[in-house]
Amino acid sequence: MTEFENEFTWGRAISQNTIDEFHEKFEKAVDDAKKEFGKKYPLIINGQEIYSDDTFSVTSPSDSQITIGEFSKATISDTNDAISSAKNAFEIWSNTSYLKRAEIFRECADYFSSRKFFLTAIMTFENGKNRFEAMGDVDEAIDFMRFYAFQLEKNKGFCKQTSHPNPREKTQTIMKPYGVWGIIAPFNFPSAIAIGMTTGALITGNTAVLKPASTAPLSSFYFVNFLFSKIPNGAINFVTGSGSTLGKTLIESKDVEGIAFTGSREVGMQGFQEFTKTTTKPFISEMGGKNPAIVTKNADLDKASEGVMNAAFGFGGQKCSACSRVYVQNDVADQFISKIVEKTKKLRIGMPWQKDVFLGPVINNDAKIKFENAVNLAKQDGEVLTGGTVLNSSELEKGYFVEPTIVTKLPEDHKLVKEELFLPFLCIQRYDTLDDAIKLANQTEYGLTAGIFSNDEKQLEEFFSKIQAGVVYANRFASATTAALVSSQPFVGWKNSGSTGKGAGGENYLQQFMRSQTQTRCD
């Protein structure tokens, strides 16, 4: 059994003093990535590449004149064909030994690792992540594949001998796959989340139909393109097109036994209710957050302002784990605000593949319009401390660039404080006591991530004891609420942030894709 180790590319570059080499490899990869743009990409159904005459263009959110690719637009019939193919492939794939399945995903992880700079460069164009965020995304996909292979082997395919007081009865429990899974993936982690969910389904012996986000389908295409020829025809299928059509088809199909979904609460809850309205079937969902950070008077304000800023504005706040509200104790609120506003104003906004850029574009025009509406509401009901502008300089006019925005003096029940925006938009609220702050932080339908900054150990213990979130951090100045690492920090949502209470990248994740059978043999 191969032990698990995180890929951790940028972290190793720092620790090993190979930062220059990292940047050199990335710059070369940008040139290689550009050669790929504009190609046509197929559906993959039943082990066949299928090119449709009906296609849609995916352009870079940084520059609408850069065409990432032309993707085949799947129909309802195509999706049903993919489901049928997956159903037909289930018996042979589920009977493939768990050791062989683990081996295949390690091979895929190794392939991704060998091409990680190329895949990172692709992503900076595809969804606008800067090179560090994009590398973290690719690393996480690699980690998911290796960690789940490790877990499968560690648990011996999830088969366990049990004891019985009658020596003539030999008993064991074994976890078995369900069948066909529909995988509905988001744009913000087009490698990590799409591949992580699909790996969870496939490595446990299920078959799958992957539907990536229409704004960012290329990253997961590379995964399916490597994998589909190494497993039975139909075990993995890839369909691209409208989420409202293809996702709906997957959820409504009687032949789909499970759904793994990452996206908004609204879409996730609708899907869950539809999928389970007539029967009990597993629906694994991660549905966003309105993640708080708490800054106490005992905090290191330099670290706190750095950590909150990174968590709020990394990838433009387009993360389920992004910090979108911060509660600051009155004693230090003015100092904290001064520091975070000053730091935020210095962030470089631009083309995300450029070396010193922190913030690229939001994903599309709808996000830009949503930003404008949020800013107008903030000006009406609160105070904008910095940001609030759509950027349209000559360099940025072909993309969806907006300023990171900090707002204060909003009522606690205001929609900007309560609703997930998925934008570079941070609300600063004040409080008197830590108990007040924790209560305010918990007053949300979500419970994904949360952070605190304090040098008082008793306050940290109180926070960990009372906060209602699945992934929580203390004094994390690299990022107050984001950047969980596979194995170390399983990513799990409470309340309306998730449906199962079991975290991706954790030791309990794979069991959700299987059901238990107890087996008894009598002498």
Side-chain angles (χ1 to χ4, degrees):
M1 180 176 65
T2 304
E3 292 296 321
F4 172 75
E5 184 178 2
N6 294 104
E7 191 78 354
F8 206 48
T9 302
W10 176 240
R12 296 189 198 285
I14 294 172
S15 64
Q16 296 171 3
N17 197 28
T18 57
I19 291 174
D20 289 342
E21 181 182 343
F22 174 95
H23 290 300
E24 288 170 6
K25 287 182 177 179
F26 179 82
E27 296 296 342
K28 181 182 183 302
V30 167
D31 293 335
D32 293 337
K34 288 178 178 178
K35 297 173 185 176
E36 296 294 302
F37 295 152
K39 291 184 177 180
K40 290 185 177 180
Y41 294 92
L43 311 174
I44 297 177
I45 299 174
N46 198 29
Q48 303 296 317
E49 296 181 341
I50 299 172
Y51 289 87
S52 172
D53 292 334
D54 191 8
T55 63
F56 63 98
S57 295
V58 175
T59 59
S60 173
S62 301
D63 185 342
S64 60
Q65 293 187 347
I66 298 175
T67 299
I68 303 299
E70 294 286 336
F71 286 82
S72 297
K73 188 180 292 185
T75 63
I76 292 174
S77 177
D78 291 327
T79 308
N80 284 325
D81 286 345
I83 294 168
S84 296
S85 298
K87 185 177 181 180
N88 292 336
F90 175 66
E91 183 175 358
I92 185 171
W93 177 240
S94 63
N95 285 320
T96 302
S97 77
Y98 75 87
L99 292 172
K100 179 62 177 178
R101 285 185 254 126
E103 178 187 340
I104 289 170
F105 279 91
R106 280 208 179 88
E107 289 177 3
C108 191
D110 290 345
Y111 168 75
F112 261 60
S113 182
S114 71
R115 303 203 73 199
K116 62 187 173 184
F117 282 93
F118 169 78
L119 295 167
T120 294
I122 288 286
M123 195 180 302
T124 62
F125 286 90
E126 184 180 25
N127 77 350
K129 283 188 173 178
N130 68 31
R131 63 182 65 183
F132 311 108
E133 296 265 9
M135 180 59 79
D137 194 327
V138 174
D139 277 359
E140 189 172 15
I142 296 167
D143 285 352
F144 278 137
M145 288 186 275
R146 288 179 176 155
F147 181 71
Y148 294 153
F150 167 71
Q151 284 293 315
L152 195 63
E153 292 180 343
K154 177 183 177 182
N155 290 282
K156 299 179 180 179
F158 294 94
C159 180
K160 181 180 180 181
Q161 303 299 311
T162 57
S163 62
H164 195 285
N166 184 345
R168 298 187 64 181
E169 294 201 11
K170 309 300 181 184
T171 55
Q172 68 176 9
T173 60
I174 184 168
M175 300 290 288
K176 291 192 170 187
Y178 282 89
V180 180
W181 279 72
I183 312 296
I184 304 173
F187 77 85
N188 58 338
F189 285 83
S191 187
I193 293 179
I195 292 172
M197 293 192 298
T198 309
T199 298
L202 287 170
I203 203 168
T204 50
N206 298 280
T207 55
V209 179
L210 169 58
K211 194 279 172 201
S214 296
T215 47
L218 184 54
S219 291
S220 56
F221 172 80
Y222 288 115
F223 165 72
V224 178
N225 193 51
F226 174 85
L227 195 62
F228 84 94
S229 62
K230 298 182 179 297
I231 61 179
N233 288 344
I236 177 66
N237 302 271
F238 181 78
V239 293
T240 48
S242 167
S244 60
T245 299
L246 308 188
K248 185 173 184 289
T249 303
L250 289 169
I251 287 169
E252 292 181 351
S253 173
K254 293 180 180 179
D255 289 330
V256 173
E257 299 292 340
I259 294 287
F261 167 87
T262 299
S264 72
R265 182 196 62 80
E266 180 183 8
V267 176
M269 289 303 298
Q270 288 175 352
F272 175 79
Q273 290 163 6
E274 175 65 30
F275 191 64
T276 59
K277 71 179 181 181
T278 60
T279 187
T280 56
K281 295 191 289 187
F283 190 98
I284 303 170
S285 63
E286 192 270 285
M287 299 180 290
K290 191 66 179 176
N291 310 295
I294 295 172
V295 179
T296 75
K297 64 182 179 181
N298 300 309
D300 180 323
L301 296 184
D302 285 322
K303 290 182 177 179
S305 57
E306 186 75 15
V308 172
M309 182 193 70
N310 287 334
F313 303 132
F315 190 44
Q318 298 173 121
K319 301 178 186 178
C320 305
S321 57
C323 178
S324 55
R325 53 195 175 110
V326 56
Y327 294 95
V328 188
Q329 200 156 18
N330 279 318
D331 309 56
V332 295
D334 290 340
Q335 294 170 264
F336 175 83
I337 287 171
S338 177
K339 288 179 181 292
I340 195 170
V341 168
E342 180 183 3
K343 291 175 186 288
T344 300
K345 287 181 176 178
K346 293 178 180 177
L347 294 177
R348 185 180 170 197
I349 304 168
M351 297 302 171
W353 50 86
Q354 294 175 353
K355 182 177 179 179
D356 296 323
V357 165
F358 177 88
L359 184 59
V362 292
I363 190 63
N364 56 24
N365 192 56
D366 287 344
K368 185 188 77 169
I369 292 170
K370 188 175 185 180
F371 173 83
E372 291 173 319
N373 292 337
V375 170
N376 289 335
L377 197 55
K379 289 178 178 177
Q380 173 184 307
D381 299 331
E383 179 183 348
V384 176
L385 298 175
T386 187
T389 301
V390 173
L391 302 175
N392 54 10
S393 66
S394 58
E395 180 190 10
L396 306 178
E397 63 182 353
K398 299 184 183 72
Y400 308 111
F401 294 89
V402 302
E403 288 183 325
T405 300
I406 300 175
V407 177
T408 192
K409 297 183 180 178
L410 289 170
E412 187 56 39
D413 61 352
H414 196 277
K415 68 179 297 182
L416 296 178
V417 180
K418 294 294 185 183
E419 295 181 7
E420 183 180 42
L421 297 177
F422 240 54
L423 294 169
F425 200 97
L426 176 67
C427 299
I428 297 181
Q429 308 291 98
R430 297 176 183 240
Y431 72 90
D432 290 320
T433 69
L434 179 59
D435 189 58
D436 293 334
I438 294 174
K439 287 179 180 177
L440 291 169
N442 286 337
Q443 286 177 7
T444 173
E445 64 179 319
Y446 296 106
L448 188 54
T449 68
I452 188 172
F453 290 89
S454 174
N455 291 322
D456 184 327
E457 186 61 32
K458 288 184 178 179
Q459 289 187 325
L460 301 186
E461 289 300 324
E462 182 178 358
F463 169 79
F464 284 133
S465 174
K466 296 180 178 179
I467 198 69
Q468 296 170 4
V471 191
V472 295
Y473 305 94
N475 297 320
R476 196 159 180 263
F477 64 89
S479 179
T481 64
T482 72
L485 196 63
V486 171
S487 179
S488 301
Q489 296 148 324
F491 195 70
V492 55
W494 289 16
K495 299 192 278 189
N496 281 344
S497 287
S499 64
T500 70
K502 295 179 173 64
E507 63 182 5
N508 299 315
Y509 184 72
L510 288 185
Q511 296 175 58
Q512 300 174 103
F513 293 91
M514 299 177 286
R515 49 191 169 185
S516 181
Q517 182 179 77
T518 303
Q519 299 177 346
T520 301
R521 298 174 184 266
C522 297
D523 293 339

